[in-house]
Amino acid sequence: MSATTSTATSAELADLLSTLATHRGFLRFTVQGLSDEQARQTPTASALSLGGLIKHVRAVEESWMRFAVGGAELMESVAADWENGFRMLEHETLAGLLADYEETAAKTERLLADLDLDTTHPLPVAPWFEPGASRSVRRVVLHLIAETSQHAGHADILRETIDGQKTMG
């Protein structure tokens, strides 16, 4: 890799990580000042809670980063908790979920510093993936940005329903 390519890749990664950090910040902002009980509330027609969203986004990021490092096999090496993945359980605290999320964010940034954004892996077999499709590390990061952004929007609606606070405006 030439110095120019390396610089361009570093700039691209910096932009991607900065965008991801911005959307993580929006998500974290939605739980600012809430109690554990408020973070567990499901105040809309959905079963989503703010604490559950933080927990889910962290789990998704961990899973996709395993994929980025080692493909489908490593991604699937940790079983997903489909039943409780979106719920903040009674023994969980908002502070604990946020600390775990921060730890995951730092781990993601460390891992990405050592990965090539062009590296690709075949996707796992799943009904929502096209058979035989692959994803690059770059697309993994773009997916994490989209996932975080989408759920930050969900969280903003939940928070506004709980006490009127809005992320923006």
Side-chain angles (χ1 to χ4, degrees), residues 40-153:
R40 273 190 202 89
Q41 286 180 8
T42 55
T44 65
S46 80
L48 296 176
S49 71
L50 290 166
L53 283 173
I54 300 280
K55 182 177 174 179
H56 168 73
V57 171
R58 175 189 183 244
V60 166
E61 187 166 324
E62 290 273 338
S63 177
W64 277 105
M65 287 310 300
R66 285 191 304 275
F67 176 84
V69 169
E73 184 177 339
L74 190 56
M75 181 186 215
E76 295 176 321
S77 68
V78 176
D81 184 353
W82 298 108
E83 183 178 345
N84 294 312
F86 272 102
R87 295 190 325 196
M88 183 175 164
L89 303 178
E90 193 60 37
H91 71 277
E92 294 173 321
T93 65
L94 182 55
L97 293 174
L98 287 168
D100 290 346
Y101 188 40
E102 288 300 315
E103 180 182 309
T104 294
K107 181 178 175 185
T108 293
E109 292 180 18
R110 283 191 309 272
L111 288 171
L112 288 171
D114 293 332
L115 294 175
D116 180 343
L117 293 174
D118 292 323
T119 299
T120 62
H121 301 290
L123 288 167
V125 175
W128 47 87
F129 294 133
E130 179 183 335
S134 295
R135 291 291 182 268
S136 67
V137 172
R138 178 181 291 99
R139 285 208 42 199
V140 167
V141 180
L142 290 169
H143 178 76
L144 293 178
I145 291 167
E147 179 87 11
T148 305
S149 178
Q150 178 180 16
H151 289 310

